[in-house]
Amino acid sequence: MRIGDHERAQAIEALGEHYSLSRLSLGEYEERVDQATRAVTGDDLVALFTDLPAPRPAGAGPAPRGGPPPPPPGGGGGGKAHVPGAPGGDADEPQAGALRQHAGRHRRHLGQ
């Protein structure tokens, strides 16, 4: 099912909570926020939370149970540099800038 900015913002908020609890490194948090801003379907968002307990945005499925969590998607940390106007950048995603601003405000709120 396709999602909108509201669902993306909920996911970013939940990721910020996990970051504030040290469940994600700064690099992992930034990578997942970038993926959330580009998410098109609910399944895209679900993939960002497969290794995290609650909180989870609506539609992200139940928290995993038992055993150690799997490694984060992409090995965590690495991430790609954002180049405005490049394929996959803000020019291709009109709402991505607003979502990144939301994430930036959340980071400032967390003292980062």
Side-chain angles (χ1 to χ4, degrees):
M1 175 94 38
R2 292 182 72 86
I3 59 165
D5 290 338
H6 178 74
E7 292 85 357
R8 291 181 193 98
Q10 285 181 326
I12 290 169
E13 191 73 26
L15 289 169
E17 179 73 17
H18 289 294
Y19 173 68
S20 72
L21 295 170
S22 299
R23 292 181 182 139
L24 297 172
S25 69
L26 179 58
E28 290 169 325
Y29 170 73
E30 290 176 338
E31 182 177 332
R32 291 182 194 208
V33 165
D34 185 56
Q35 291 172 354
T37 62
R38 292 182 284 126
V40 176
T41 67
D43 288 343
D44 295 335
L45 294 181
V46 168
L48 302 177
F49 292 89
T50 58
D51 62 339
L52 295 170
R56 303 164 75 78
R65 294 179 180 231
K80 296 185 221 171
H82 173 70
V83 179
D90 290 344
D92 293 339
E93 308 158 27
Q95 300 303 317
L99 289 170
R100 285 191 182 91
Q101 287 177 350
H102 175 80
R105 284 192 302 273
H106 192 75
R107 278 194 296 270
R108 285 190 295 279
H109 174 73
L110 295 172
Q112 299 299 321

